[in-house]
Amino acid sequence: MVGNEETIAQVLNRLRRAHGQLAGVISMIEQGRDCKDVVTQLAAVSRALDRAGFKIIATGLRECMTEDGENGSEPMTEAELEKLFLALA
């Protein structure tokens, strides 16, 4: 994966959080928990995975934009790219 150590750490943290949430969903289903609670937690897992994916995409795109720099404007920040992708989701 392309990116600096801080970005990679952020992606890994999001994926670890999603991993823990998914383990919680599995446990909730095994315990026979209420459907609403399971679906709510499953949605949280989905959002965590989406955010990790968008972070990866934003980092890769930022690297491409930084290398090109053809139009003379400053490249978008990683946060700006991530926000843009999340707005489209």
Side-chain angles (χ1 to χ4, degrees):
M1 184 177 129
V2 182
N4 61 31
E5 289 182 27
E6 181 182 345
T7 300
I8 292 170
Q10 290 172 355
V11 169
L12 289 173
N13 284 338
R14 289 178 179 174
L15 291 173
R16 286 185 183 107
R17 190 173 330 138
H19 184 263
Q21 289 171 322
L22 184 56
V25 169
I26 292 168
S27 178
M28 291 171 76
I29 292 170
E30 290 172 344
Q31 295 169 6
R33 297 275 300 271
D34 183 57
C35 179
K36 180 182 175 186
D37 295 337
V38 172
V39 171
T40 299
Q41 194 63 24
L42 193 56
V45 172
S46 180
R47 283 190 304 274
L49 290 174
D50 287 344
R51 291 193 58 91
F54 285 127
K55 186 72 158 176
I56 291 168
I57 292 168
T59 301
L61 185 56
R62 181 170 176 242
E63 291 293 321
C64 290
M65 291 178 71
T66 302
E67 290 174 9
D68 291 343
E70 295 173 349
N71 61 6
S73 64
E74 285 193 29
M76 293 175 72
T77 67
E78 200 170 301
E80 290 169 329
L81 288 167
E82 184 177 4
K83 185 176 179 179
L84 178 64
F85 279 106
L86 289 173
L88 297 173

